[in-house]
């Protein structure tokens, strides 16, 4: 397992790198022939531009290929500089096995956009095309960067006053500290919890309004007014359905699940990083969600800039021993919480539908008249409507699916903990930590698209 440092000290970051910003690496020849105004005009305000050294080794090229959102190169310079030519190959076709990698073009995290420029005789720079990896388009990448920018902007707007103003303040040494990423992860989870609370309040409010509406409609139907109740019912439930669809359309619940995915992926990255494993987390997303997760892949390029500890990294076994107990108990607690909510919703639906059935049977057998008939009819309409609302409410929040996924993770982590009792070589524990982290990432992806 490769435990080498992917970030050379020759790559220096600016003093501030804000979450959601793009990293643009430019070749030295292009930087020498352009002004800062020109670079800013081409890159836009939401980007940090870093000049590359003309002399880079393989580790530096890997770090740049994986962390850069864009690479800008002077065409003539690429032809004369083997390092830049190699960087072009990394970005377009992935890092080959000969360079110590084992991923194909389908999973390689280093793939990305390369912009080429020509220099005229009078020194003017002109674009000379855009190189993209297979299956990518410039429009897709621009859309991903916009979502990444919105994510960063929203995270800043929800930050409380006790948090430092910039989570990516970088010390004189290059790279992001683990404390920086831990703080970022905490802020992402805080934002996700806020979204989850909003979704619950919105759905609870819709639920309460719907119940009140059902009671009023049922009362109107039973008092004998000469109004087209069938049409009123149809319009009412159409509005109710549209309201619940509106909640889904604005993706409030989807957004908090995606934010939790980002936080989970950062946690896995920190675990691997702590054990000294040079394993990019963005290589472990399923291909079926490649387009939907494009902005998250682009956002998490910054994890490749995490600085290495000066001390010796602990073994993967010790990292697992320190992490697994809390991870197991946390997933078990979440599984129990969601399972409890799912049972409550299920029993509420059974009760309401069962009561509706009993009232219907009583009406057929007893043939009530007068006020008893009004009361039974009102209770029947309310019970059946509320049962349907409970069914919609529980399905929207996904209690059952979440409980199953958290239970799966808890069981998987327990199996991993049992594996620690085996006498395995170090590289087996490395693989065990990577496999466990991959399962956590993919479980978070499933929760996001359930």
């Amino acid at each position: 397992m490769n435990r080498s440092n992917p970030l050379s000290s020759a790559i220096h970051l600016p003093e501030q790198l804000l979450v959601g910003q793009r990293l643009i690496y430019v070749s030295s020849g292009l930087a020498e022939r352009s002004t800062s105004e020109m670079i800013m005009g081409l890159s836009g305000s939401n980007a940090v531009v870093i000049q590359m050294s003309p002399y880079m080794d393989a580790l530096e090229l890997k770090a740049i290929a994986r962390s850069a959102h864009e690479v800008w190169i002077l065409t003539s310079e690429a032809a004369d500089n083997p390092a830049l030519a190699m960087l072009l190959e990394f970005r377009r076709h992935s890092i080959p096995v000969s360079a110590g990698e084992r991923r194909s073009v389908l999973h390689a995290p280093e793939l990305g956009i390369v912009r080429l420029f020509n220099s005229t005789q009078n020194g003017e720079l002109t674009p000379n095309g855009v190189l993209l990896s297979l299956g990518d388009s410039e429009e897709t990448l621009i859309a991903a960067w916009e979502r990444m920018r919105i994510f960063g902007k929203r995270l800043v707007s929800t930050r409380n006053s006790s948090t430092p103003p910039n989570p990516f303040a970088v010390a004189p040494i290059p790279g992001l500290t683990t404390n920086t990423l831990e703080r970022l992860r905490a802020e992402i989870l805080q934002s996700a919890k806020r979204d989850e609370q909003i979704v619950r309040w919105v759905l609870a409010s819709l639920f309460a309004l719907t119940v009140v509406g059902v009671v009023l409609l049922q009362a109107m139907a039973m008092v004998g007014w000469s109004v087209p109740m069938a049409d009123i019912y149809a319009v009412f439930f159409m509005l109710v359905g549209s309201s619940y669809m509106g909640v889904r359309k604005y993706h409030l619940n989807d957004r908090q699940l995606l934010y939790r995915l980002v936080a989970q992926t950062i946690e896995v990255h920190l675990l691997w990083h702590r054990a000294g494993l040079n394993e990019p987390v963005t290589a472990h997303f399923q291909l079926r969600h490649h387009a939907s997760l494009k902005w998250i892949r682009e956002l998490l390029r910054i994890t490749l800039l995490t600085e290495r500890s000066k001390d010796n990294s602990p073994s993967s076994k010790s990292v697992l021993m320190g992490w697994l107990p809390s991870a197991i108990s946390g997933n078990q607690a979440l599984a129990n919480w969601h399972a409890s909510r799912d049972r409550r919703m299920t029993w509420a639906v059974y009760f309401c539908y069962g009561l509706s059935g009993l009232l219907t049977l009583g009406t057929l057998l007893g043939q009530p008249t007068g006020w008893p008939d009004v009361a039974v009819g009102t209770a029947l309409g309310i019970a059946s409507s509320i049962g349907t609302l409970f069914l919609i409410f529980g399905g929207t929040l996904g209690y059952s699916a979440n409980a199953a996924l958290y239970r799966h993770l808890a069981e998987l982590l327990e199996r991993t903990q049992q594996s620690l009792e085996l006498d395995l070589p170090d590289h087996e524990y490395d693989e065990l930590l990577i496999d466990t982290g991959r399962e956590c990432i993919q479980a978070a992806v499933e929760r996001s698209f359930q």
Side-chain angles (χ1 to χ4, degrees):
M1 185 60 59
N2 186 2
R3 291 175 176 269
S4 59
N5 186 348
L7 185 64
S8 168
S9 60
I11 303 173
H12 290 278
L13 292 176
E15 292 185 358
Q16 286 191 334
L17 173 62
L18 298 175
V19 60
Q21 282 186 316
R22 289 179 297 135
L23 272 176
I24 300 177
Y25 288 86
V26 301
S27 63
S28 56
L30 180 63
E32 291 170 359
R33 290 170 174 79
S34 58
T35 63
S36 57
E37 291 78 9
M38 180 186 301
I39 293 291
M40 287 297 296
L42 292 171
S43 64
S45 59
N46 192 49
V48 172
V49 181
I50 303 173
Q51 179 180 338
M52 292 183 286
S53 167
Y55 311 104
M56 296 173 287
D57 59 26
L59 289 179
E60 292 170 335
L61 292 175
K62 287 182 185 180
I64 291 173
R66 288 177 170 175
S67 62
H69 296 100
E70 296 187 47
V71 174
W72 296 2
I73 297 177
L74 200 62
T75 306
S76 59
E77 195 178 9
D80 300 331
N81 189 326
L84 291 180
M86 186 179 294
L87 180 59
L88 282 176
E89 288 301 306
F90 287 178
R91 292 286 287 185
R92 295 183 65 194
H93 303 134
S94 78
I95 301 173
V97 176
S98 59
E101 293 301 311
R102 52 187 171 84
R103 291 183 181 82
S104 70
V105 70
L106 296 179
H107 288 277
E110 61 270 9
L111 302 180
I113 194 169
V114 178
R115 298 187 190 275
L116 298 176
F117 293 83
N118 284 338
S119 179
T120 62
Q121 292 182 349
N122 57 6
E124 293 183 359
L125 292 175
T126 58
N128 186 33
V130 177
L131 302 181
L132 294 163
S133 55
L134 292 175
D136 260 341
S137 68
E138 192 171 359
E139 292 76 15
T140 301
L141 284 168
I142 291 174
W145 294 334
E146 177 61 18
R147 289 196 66 180
M148 189 175 71
R149 184 193 66 80
I150 293 173
F151 172 87
K153 182 178 179 181
R154 183 170 187 270
L155 209 61
V156 170
S157 67
T158 58
R159 186 174 299 128
N160 57 45
S161 58
S162 63
T163 304
N166 177 15
F168 284 97
V170 181
I173 56 175
L176 305 174
T177 66
T178 54
N179 288 337
T180 293
L181 289 175
E182 287 282 9
R183 188 165 63 244
L184 173 63
R185 177 176 172 270
E187 291 180 359
I188 293 172
L189 287 175
Q190 182 182 3
S191 179
K193 289 177 182 177
R194 187 176 292 108
D195 274 349
E196 188 176 30
Q197 291 173 352
I198 291 173
V199 171
R200 287 177 180 171
W201 277 108
V202 169
L203 289 176
S205 300
L206 286 174
F207 186 87
L209 289 173
T210 305
V211 170
V212 172
V214 167
V215 172
L216 293 177
L217 285 177
Q218 197 64 31
M220 290 173 59
M222 301 307 295
V223 296
W225 291 351
S226 180
V227 291
M229 291 304 303
D231 295 337
I232 294 176
Y233 264 105
V235 172
F236 175 76
F237 281 103
M238 180 184 68
L239 292 175
V240 170
S242 299
S243 299
Y244 280 94
M245 288 176 63
V247 174
R248 297 288 298 172
K249 180 180 178 181
Y250 284 103
H251 301 292
L252 287 179
N253 203 43
D254 295 352
R255 186 171 66 187
Q256 67 98 1
L257 290 173
L258 286 172
Y259 281 24
R260 291 183 187 279
L261 167 60
V262 175
Q264 177 68 81
T265 308
I266 291 176
E267 180 185 25
V268 172
H269 162 73
L270 289 170
L271 290 171
W272 291 347
H273 176 80
R274 194 175 302 142
L277 301 177
N278 180 18
E279 186 70 15
V281 288
T282 51
H284 296 279
F285 291 133
Q286 298 99 316
L287 290 177
R288 63 178 295 195
H289 302 302
H290 181 82
S292 302
L293 297 179
K294 188 68 178 176
W295 73 274
I296 295 180
R297 292 172 182 269
E298 293 295 298
L299 175 74
L300 292 175
R301 285 185 182 273
I302 53 99
T303 58
L304 272 300
L305 301 174
T306 311
E307 67 180 27
R308 291 289 169 183
S309 172
K310 296 180 180 179
D311 302 326
N312 292 330
S313 299
S315 66
S316 295
K317 182 177 181 179
S318 61
V319 170
L320 284 168
M321 291 177 65
W323 170 65
L324 283 173
S326 60
I328 292 171
S329 61
N331 280 285
Q332 286 175 338
L334 287 169
N336 293 335
W337 188 89
H338 283 275
S340 173
R341 296 302 185 279
D342 180 53
R343 285 194 298 270
R344 292 180 188 179
M345 288 291 177
T346 301
W347 281 110
V349 173
Y350 286 161
F351 174 79
C352 291
Y353 283 172
L355 180 60
S356 299
L358 290 175
L359 291 174
T360 301
L361 183 62
T363 301
L364 294 175
L365 296 178
Q367 297 293 327
T369 59
W371 282 108
D373 181 38
V374 174
V376 169
T378 301
L380 174 60
I382 293 173
S384 59
S385 299
I386 291 178
T388 302
L389 290 176
F390 274 126
L391 195 63
I392 295 173
F393 194 84
T396 302
L397 292 176
Y399 289 129
S400 177
N402 282 335
L405 281 170
Y406 284 122
R407 193 177 301 112
H408 161 72
L409 272 180
E411 293 172 354
L412 172 73
L413 296 175
E414 286 178 341
R415 288 173 54 193
T416 304
Q417 191 174 48
Q418 293 170 1
S419 301
L420 298 181
E421 300 174 2
L422 304 175
D423 186 17
L424 302 175
D426 289 342
H427 75 274
E428 290 288 348
Y429 288 116
D430 291 344
E431 293 295 339
L432 188 62
L433 178 55
I434 290 175
D435 290 343
T436 305
R438 182 190 300 115
E439 284 291 327
C440 291
I441 292 173
Q442 294 182 356
V445 172
E446 286 188 42
R447 285 199 300 273
S448 302
F449 294 96
Q450 61 189 10

